[in-house]
Amino acid sequence: MDQDVVSTAQEIRDMKIRGAGRIARAGARAVGTFAKNYTGSDYTDFRKDLDEAMRVLLDSRPTAVSLWNGVQAAARGVNQVDRVDDARELLIRNAEEFVKESEEAVRTIARIGAKRVEDGDVIMTHCNSSVAIGVIAEAHRQGKDIKVFATESRPWRQGILTVNDLAKEGVDTTLIIDSAVRLVMKDVDKVFVGADTITSQGDLVNKIGTSQVAMAAHEARVQFYVCSETYKFSPLSLQGDLVKIEEREISEVVRPGEIPDSVKVYNPVFDVTPSYYIDGIITEVGLISPGSVYDVMQRKFGTELMTE
Ligand code: RI2
């Protein structure tokens, strides 16, 4: 097994590489590196080794469909070639194209999303979404006077990354604990969050607690925006597949010996926000409603939409 593939999968599993966009790019890059490193000449062996490498990458984190879409994008068209050298060249090119387009998508979303930020807005964001932060930072760079509340996002506390990211940009930022969301929401104008997966019904799968932020925003009549590249849209959900909600180690929640062994710890790290709580999805192909997700998926994935 290619050691770059194994180490990339381990870093994704350990959240050394985290964030749905980053893990998608890491997965695609790992497929490209697999191709670069491959020394065999037998095509059947190549395809067997490629399938195994893709499986190792896809098993590293189950929820973010971006990883699945990134790895599949890097391998796209491999069934149409039958020589190892042609397949290697294709995978290397695909991987480079996916990474380039993915990074461009984040910049495009920042431009489009910043138009939904008005001067004087108070914004809330949850967890650490490079795409949502990109929108907020772009609005700040345009000179809009904004304030941001960032949630701590227990148990992994990605909010600490967010407040550091925003402070570097000079954005007026306040860290709050997750339990303060509904109290603070009365002072908030708009919420911008990222996405791990968006289903064909327009539901959002994102960091645990997102659905509570959305519910509090809905109650307070605060606009709730999702900032997501279209490679986070899930073709598998169109086939009725449920998005697997990852559960992680209890050591992320409690310290050793802190609670008796008889007490169980449940640590799901994503939840589902129903589409009716979502006012808009800001993508690189434009600001869309949750109801338009199928049409965008249709155009993006085409016939592959219903592959088994
Ligand atoms: P970007 C993260 O998951 C958060 O849920 C975040 O909203 C989402 O991925 C998207 O991140 P984790 O990797 O692609 O922290 O917007 O478990 O950076």
Side-chain angles (χ1 to χ4, degrees):
M1 171 57 67
D2 183 292
Q3 281 314 301
D4 287 300
V5 167
V6 171
S7 58
T8 298
Q10 194 59 50
E11 287 178 321
I12 291 172
R13 182 175 296 107
D14 297 346
M15 293 180 67
K16 290 194 177 75
I17 300 174
R18 53 150 299 281
R22 290 190 194 92
I23 68 176
R25 290 187 285 275
R29 283 193 182 101
V31 171
T33 308
F34 163 86
K36 277 191 190 111
N37 294 344
Y38 200 81
T39 54
S41 56
D42 179 282
Y43 185 72
T44 307
D45 289 345
F46 174 83
R47 287 302 302 270
K48 184 175 69 61
D49 294 345
L50 172 62
D51 289 349
E52 195 184 340
M54 291 170 71
R55 177 48 45 211
V56 165
L57 290 164
L58 294 176
D59 285 349
S60 58
R61 287 195 82 190
T63 302
V65 77
S66 59
L67 176 58
W68 195 90
N69 284 335
V71 168
Q72 296 296 341
R76 184 160 294 133
V78 76
N79 290 333
Q80 277 69 52
V81 295
D82 55 10
R83 292 182 58 254
V84 173
D85 286 349
D86 295 343
R88 290 178 59 233
E89 261 176 55
L90 176 68
L91 268 53
I92 292 165
R93 192 168 60 249
N94 284 350
E96 287 166 357
E97 275 171 19
F98 176 83
V99 170
K100 184 167 161 285
E101 286 168 12
S102 157
E103 290 169 341
E104 180 56 34
V106 174
R107 289 191 288 271
T108 302
I109 293 168
R111 258 195 330 273
I112 294 172
K115 293 179 184 172
R116 284 304 167 114
V117 178
E118 293 168 279
D119 199 35
D121 270 351
V122 176
I123 291 167
M124 182 179 289
T125 192
H126 182 61
C127 196
N128 178 247
S129 159
S130 59
V131 188
I133 290 170
V135 168
I136 295 167
E138 174 59 23
H140 175 73
R141 278 194 290 272
Q142 292 174 2
K144 293 176 182 174
D145 175 24
I146 58 176
K147 290 181 173 51
V148 177
F149 285 105
T151 63
E152 178 190 17
S153 307
R154 288 258 316 141
W156 217 82
R157 309 184 74 217
Q158 288 93 329
I160 302 299
L161 299 171
T162 297
V163 297
N164 277 283
D165 292 340
L166 291 174
K168 278 189 204 114
E169 296 282 344
V171 176
D172 179 331
T173 303
T174 304
L175 177 70
I176 60 170
I177 64 170
D178 303 326
S179 315
V181 159
R182 187 163 176 248
L183 173 71
V184 169
M185 194 61 80
K186 66 183 186 324
D187 301 324
V188 171
D189 298 299
K190 292 171 187 130
V191 176
F192 292 90
V193 297
D196 286 88
T197 294
I198 292 180
T199 72
S200 56
Q201 294 162 277
D203 295 340
L204 167 68
V205 183
N206 196 50
K207 188 50 53 193
I208 189 80
T210 302
S211 62
Q212 284 171 189
V213 174
M215 200 162 58
H218 190 74
E219 177 193 42
R221 304 288 185 273
V222 168
Q223 292 169 40
F224 184 88
Y225 288 105
V226 178
C227 309
S228 172
E229 310 90 310
T230 55
Y231 61 81
K232 293 171 182 172
F233 291 10
S234 166
L236 298 174
S237 63
L238 192 71
Q239 302 172 33
D241 288 43
L242 281 170
V243 177
K244 183 169 169 23
I245 300 294
E246 179 186 7
E247 291 180 39
R248 293 183 66 89
E249 300 72 25
I250 67 169
S251 57
E252 292 185 355
V253 181
V254 288
R255 289 186 296 278
E258 195 174 15
I259 57 173
D261 292 346
S262 60
V263 174
K264 293 176 280 302
V265 176
Y266 175 44
N267 181 24
V269 292
F270 296 104
D271 65 15
V272 182
T273 300
S275 58
Y276 51 79
Y277 282 141
I278 298 171
D279 292 290
I281 304 175
I282 305 165
T283 78
E284 73 277 17
V285 297
L287 171 56
I288 65 172
S289 71
S292 313
V293 167
Y294 172 73
D295 295 333
V296 172
M297 283 170 70
Q298 221 343 324
R299 276 200 300 278
K300 180 175 182 68
F301 297 108
T303 51
E304 292 173 50
L305 262 187
M306 291 306 285
T307 49
E308 279 308 307

